[in-house]
Amino acid sequence: MTTKKSETKSSGKFERPDGRKVNELRPIWAKVGVVPNADGSAIYASGDTIAIAAVYGPKQMHPQHSQNPEKGTLRCTYLMNSFSVNERIKPGPNRRSMEISKITEWALEPVLMLKDFPSQVIDVHINIIQADAGTRCAGINAASMALAHAGVPMKSLVTSVSAGKLDKTLVIDLDKEEEDFEEGEGPTDIPLSFTGDGKITHMQLDGKISPAQLKEAVEMARESAKEIHKIQVKALKDSVEGDKK
Amino acid sequence: MTHDERKIAIPGEVIIKGKEFLPGEGTTKQGEEIIAQRFGLIEESERIVKVIPLSGVYIPRRGNVVIGKVEMITFNGWVINIGASDNGFLSLMEVPRFVNKDALDEVMDIGDIVIAKIWNINKRGIDLSLKLKGLGRVDEGLIVKINSNKVPRVIGKEGSMINLIKDNTNCNITVGQNGFVLIEGQNVDDELLAKKAIQFIEEKSYIHGLTEEVERFFKENGGKK
Amino acid sequence: MITPKINGDVIKKYLNEGKRFDGRGFDEFREIIIEPNVSKKAEGSARVKIGKTEVIVGIKMDIGTPYPDSMDKGNLITSAEILPMSSDRIELGKPGFESIEIGRITDRVLRESGFIDFKGLCIKEGEKVWNLYVDIYSINDDGNLLDAAGIGAVAALKWARMPKYDEETGKADYHEHRDELPLDENVPISLTFHKVGDHFIIDPNREEEDFSETRITLGSKKGIISSIQKGESHQVSVEDFGKVLDRMEVVWKEVLKSIEKQIEKNKK
């Protein structure tokens, strides 16, 4: 099995495997209020990656000795379904899912006002139903909508997107095929999360990139995040309009 | 802003700009901008801009009558789950009858439902009291849970909606501000009709002319009026 | 919050009048909706909604070795996870007993009914067989996750397409999916009867399930019972059990009709 390679034409113009422009996002679909029992919930899909998030809280934290009397706790669990990928993942948490759970907490916490909820906890549960790269970004986007839907006080939403580099070209929103890109300098994957006013709350990087290109990639990501933010806002507003019918 | 024009606020969005506006609940002011800090409906009155929550957990307030469940019995009172982020505490001093310190469970046991009033909220917690008519342990009836943010719609202006339900079902209905509603009727069918009506109102809480919709609901479902 | 006891008293009183809160009969299921294609990466998948209860099931396959006592048969591995998102009552941590029981009961329904032709999953006797994984996840718990899991597993298996076996690498090739699984044309159903007060009901919602004192799950295919699990601790009289069996024969026909219709509708 070989990865379909994208070509850098002789004219120097780079073509992505699915034909997208370099700063073009995959088609996005988002809906709020998908888990009736939860205080807030949302589903976020980017291309073939689908994430559901459900929020419970703020509520009493158990066990009592875990309570923080100075501020509330944000607890995130991220889990990929066994059948979300080609090679089955054994059910249950693993190191990767635990790391991403923590990353998600760090990405969301800056917009929450946890000092207003001492000794309490907000639980965010993320489940990846179908994975085609960008799962942690999809999870954070779904979680952000679910938190707002749950009425949790927030300074703004959090929007997550991956920037990247394929050989020498900067791109936005890598899919799985691009993550496996083999030509030239290979792939560089940079998942980022932003607050509503463009501050970075989460950043990771895998690959090879110069500081100059990295700055450019972050700028591209910030612009794309604005587009995604509009979709998150619409999903939240539609959830109210929907009841009006 | 009229009811028709009420808009939805998203955390981080600027609601309105102007020196004269003041930040109310669910908002903050930065410079001249009032910025939303919650998802909800925007409401402005007398220059104070608020965001009314549409969803989310119950936020307890002093004076609220709530319906809760006894979770634990301590040496001097009962810990009561009122569906808020914090439990309420009912001290045996706040019960309008003599309570034997060794027999708290005879007055109220774990699992019992109780109607109580929040008389104080401070850093330590939420203090409950039964010292008012209509408060106390509930032995019979049907409990319905709705989102606490929809309670005002179920009660209606000066109780108009809740009276409409009572008249159409011959039931006695106690609405806890925390979203728990107690229905006591002559028979189960009447209680279920009241339950259905309350859930109908919860679902349709945004529409205009809700009263007419509810009247129609009762006409179609065997209301007694 | 667990449903208050006074509600339980009303539920039981109403059952004595022959009625349920949502107007259903004792043997009536809520609306069952089964949808395919939950995940493109699964060999097969299904989303089942029974009222507000929602469960997703995915089928994955890979190459393994047979067990010593069944050298010419493939392997079935069933697991279930009640996700913390599905209700406010779930404690974080290891899968609880409920998750384990749903997995095992569903496994029994699939295995004992003869629904799967395990010999058809053999590639090379004694050496290479297909591993068939059925993984169940709950999304929203409004009662009766057990039966939802069973329905989802059967639908997902019916819709599944096997990957290709790559002779060179000895592994599964997920780029090609062609054949259906070797399954019996008759599907097994799991039906759980719950004792609430003095009566047995089927498909309880969460409120009713909170007052279920004991339950009996029957796995059957074409009227023949092949697996039973009695759960929780109350006792059941032999006469009552006989009545449950009589009712089961009627109920499974109705449920089967609904399931088969939806499975056929979505067959590629």
Side-chain angles (χ1 to χ4, degrees), chain B residues 11 27 43 55 63 97-98 106 115 123 127 144 206 212:
Chain B
T27 68
E43 209 175 68
S55 48
R97 53 175 271 198
F98 171 75
E106 284 174 24
I115 310 175
K123 269 197 161 67
D127 292 320
V144 179
Y206 310 116
E212 287 79 48

Side-chain angles (χ1 to χ4, degrees), chain A residues 39 57-60 113 120 148-157 229 233 236-237 239-241 243-245, chain B residues 6 8-13 35-39 41 54-57 84-87 150 203-204 206-207:
Chain A
D39 292 321
K59 56 181 181 171
Q60 288 267 282
M113 292 166 294
Q120 288 160 31
H149 183 233
V152 174
M154 296 165 83
K155 295 180 195 159
S156 79
L157 295 176
H229 184 262
V233 167
L236 281 163
K237 292 195 176 176
S239 74
V240 180
E241 306 302 318
D243 286 1
K244 279 201 175 117
K245 288 191 195 119
Chain B
R6 280 211 286 183
I8 311 288
I10 303 286
E13 277 195 341
I35 299 177
Q37 295 201 316
R38 266 195 93 151
F39 172 60
L41 287 176
L54 292 160
S55 48
V57 298
S85 42
D86 222 349
N87 280 333
K150 312 284 170 99
E203 257 177 75
K204 309 266 182 205
Y206 310 116
I207 65 173

Side-chain angles (χ1 to χ4, degrees), chain A residues 60-187:
Chain A
Q60 288 267 282
M61 179 147 186
H62 296 291
Q64 247 186 321
H65 58 78
S66 302
Q67 286 178 9
N68 183 342
E70 287 179 25
K71 65 175 202 179
T73 309
L74 173 68
R75 224 170 23 186
C76 296
T77 60
Y78 163 101
L79 195 77
M80 287 180 76
N81 280 359
S82 65
F83 51 89
S84 59
V85 288
N86 270 334
E87 308 264 347
R88 178 183 180 257
I89 301 175
K90 198 155 165 240
N94 52 52
R95 285 173 200 275
R96 178 177 173 276
S97 70
M98 291 197 275
E99 189 206 356
I100 297 181
S101 300
K102 204 66 194 158
I103 297 283
T104 304
E105 279 169 27
W106 291 335
L108 297 167
E109 215 178 294
V111 301
L112 298 175
M113 292 166 294
L114 294 176
K115 285 217 162 68
D116 295 347
F117 301 102
S119 298
Q120 288 160 31
V121 64
I122 299 172
D123 275 327
V124 178
H125 302 297
I126 298 169
N127 191 245
I128 306 296
I129 304 181
Q130 192 174 272
D132 192 47
T135 59
R136 72 194 67 193
C137 296
I140 291 169
N141 286 329
S144 178
M145 289 187 282
L147 282 164
H149 183 233
V152 174
M154 296 165 83
K155 295 180 195 159
S156 79
L157 295 176
V158 172
T159 309
S160 189
V161 68
S162 69
K165 184 168 75 69
L166 299 174
D167 186 19
K168 296 190 196 301
T169 311
L170 295 178
V171 294
I172 282 290
D173 192 15
L174 284 78
D175 58 29
K176 184 91 181 66
E177 219 178 315
E178 292 176 325
E179 265 188 0
D180 297 338
F181 186 73
E182 280 168 16
E183 266 188 44
E185 292 177 9

